[in-house]
Amino acid sequence: MERHFGIRPDDPASIAGITERRIQDAWAFDEDVRAIAANEEVLNLLGRLYGRPAFPFQTLNFPVGTQQAAHTDAVHFSSIPERFMCGVWLAMEDISLEAGPLMYVPGSHRWPVLSNTMIGRRGWQSELHSAQAPFQQVWSAMVESTGAVSETFAAKKGQALIWCANLLHGGSPQTNRALTRWSQVTHYFFDDCVYYTPAFSDEPLGRLALRQIVNIADGARKPNRYLGEDVSPAPPPPSRKGGFARWLGGVLTKRRSRS
Ligand SMILES: O=C(O)CCC(=O)C(=O)O
Ligand SMILES: [Fe+2]
């Protein structure tokens, strides 16, 4: 991992100067990342907490703090029924307060889940540089109006924090640019749900940006299931022009007009 990011542990300039600040889905080529994501104890714990089997579907590895504004993962990854998603953030070293530790807003996981409808925005086939951006102001207003106070997680190596889909979390400011903050986030869904991206969906119109999910633990595809029925779109025909999104739009329109 250090080599991947061009970091030399004894060279603070190599840390301060890194250009790539995260790597997504390193599980596909790094067995350690995959093993952490598929850890049996974590899967068993999540299964007990949520009452459905959990499976990992995405990993993120961070060499340094993200300094991300507080957000929920529920705008990126949601499920039907809602809230069957969580993230597990794992410290890969003792995290200094100056390295920009993870922060979160205790209790915010119980707040309403924001949707495009609630903020007066159309999501379907929209383009965004960040799926979080349209919601940022409302999250800040919710924190202000409730008087909620954020906490930082000054984690020791090996400690983990589970965030529910709707928990506000982010990276606090990194005040020392020479410090690493090695950490891994694994995102989990639970069995027998529909998996989709709310930021690009208009739920009241039935326009769902469905996700094609693979279980990291065994590499198997996880179908989108609604009350036991497989509602996954068939894979796009290879020769068709116009991309997956347009094809998916067609599938959903046909499905709607049949019912
Ligand atoms: O590690 C962080 O600072 C936050 C990461 C995060 O928000 C995420 O992976 O969903
Ligand atoms: Fe997040």
Side-chain angles (χ1 to χ4, degrees):
M1 276 287 165
E2 278 165 352
R3 238 181 303 131
H4 175 89
F5 290 103
I7 288 177
R8 294 173 300 281
D10 299 327
D11 179 3
S14 73
I15 300 168
I18 64 167
T19 47
E20 193 185 355
R21 302 178 74 85
R22 62 180 228 168
I23 177 168
Q24 185 175 320
D25 291 326
W27 65 270
F29 58 84
D30 188 314
E31 175 51 27
D32 292 337
V33 173
R34 200 201 66 81
I36 289 169
N39 181 283
E40 282 290 331
E41 275 185 53
V42 173
L43 291 177
N44 289 338
L45 175 63
L46 295 178
R48 282 208 305 281
L49 291 172
Y50 278 80
R52 285 188 193 207
F55 62 89
F57 69 91
Q58 187 187 79
T59 58
L60 295 170
N61 289 81
F62 301 104
V64 292
T66 68
Q67 307 192 77
Q68 273 191 80
H71 64 276
T72 76
D73 284 355
V75 300
H76 297 282
F77 317 112
S78 195
S79 58
I80 300 173
E82 71 172 16
R83 298 178 193 249
F84 276 106
M85 182 269 152
C86 70
V88 176
W89 186 98
L90 174 67
M92 315 283 276
E93 63 180 332
D94 293 353
I95 309 288
S96 153
L97 289 178
E98 294 166 42
L102 184 75
M103 55 75 71
Y104 60 98
V105 181
S108 56
H109 59 295
R110 298 202 184 87
W111 296 355
V113 178
L114 290 190
S115 64
N116 281 316
T117 311
M118 290 163 84
I119 62 166
R121 165 178 188 271
R122 283 190 185 260
W124 181 245
Q125 294 183 343
S126 66
E127 285 182 21
L128 287 171
H129 74 280
S130 153
Q132 293 159 206
F135 302 93
Q136 211 64 63
Q137 255 186 310
V138 183
W139 284 321
S140 301
M142 287 167 101
V143 171
E144 211 173 297
S145 64
T146 55
V149 179
S150 63
E151 285 180 11
T152 49
F153 182 36
K156 294 280 178 217
K157 181 176 180 175
Q159 285 188 321
L161 183 143
I162 302 170
W163 62 66
C164 302
N166 205 44
L167 185 82
L168 280 173
H169 63 274
S172 54
Q174 179 185 1
T175 54
N176 183 342
R177 300 216 315 138
L179 293 178
T180 54
R181 200 209 68 171
W182 286 105
S183 48
Q184 176 166 327
V185 172
T186 308
H187 291 130
Y188 295 84
F189 272 135
F190 294 80
D191 276 4
D192 292 325
C193 294
V194 174
Y195 314 109
Y196 74 102
T197 310
F200 300 113
S201 300
D202 296 313
E203 290 93 335
L205 299 180
R207 293 175 182 153
L208 301 181
L210 295 179
R211 281 180 173 265
Q212 306 250 41
I213 293 292
V214 168
N215 178 355
I216 293 174
D218 60 9
R221 200 177 66 82
K222 296 296 286 190
N224 284 283
R225 291 172 71 85
Y226 182 72
L227 300 177
E229 179 193 351
D230 186 341
V231 294
S232 307
S239 60
R240 184 89 175 261
K241 286 221 171 77
F244 178 71
R246 186 175 305 165
W247 166 83
L248 183 58
V251 168
L252 293 179
T253 310
K254 268 188 224 127
R255 189 170 279 152
R256 268 201 313 281
S257 58
R258 257 190 268 125
S259 56

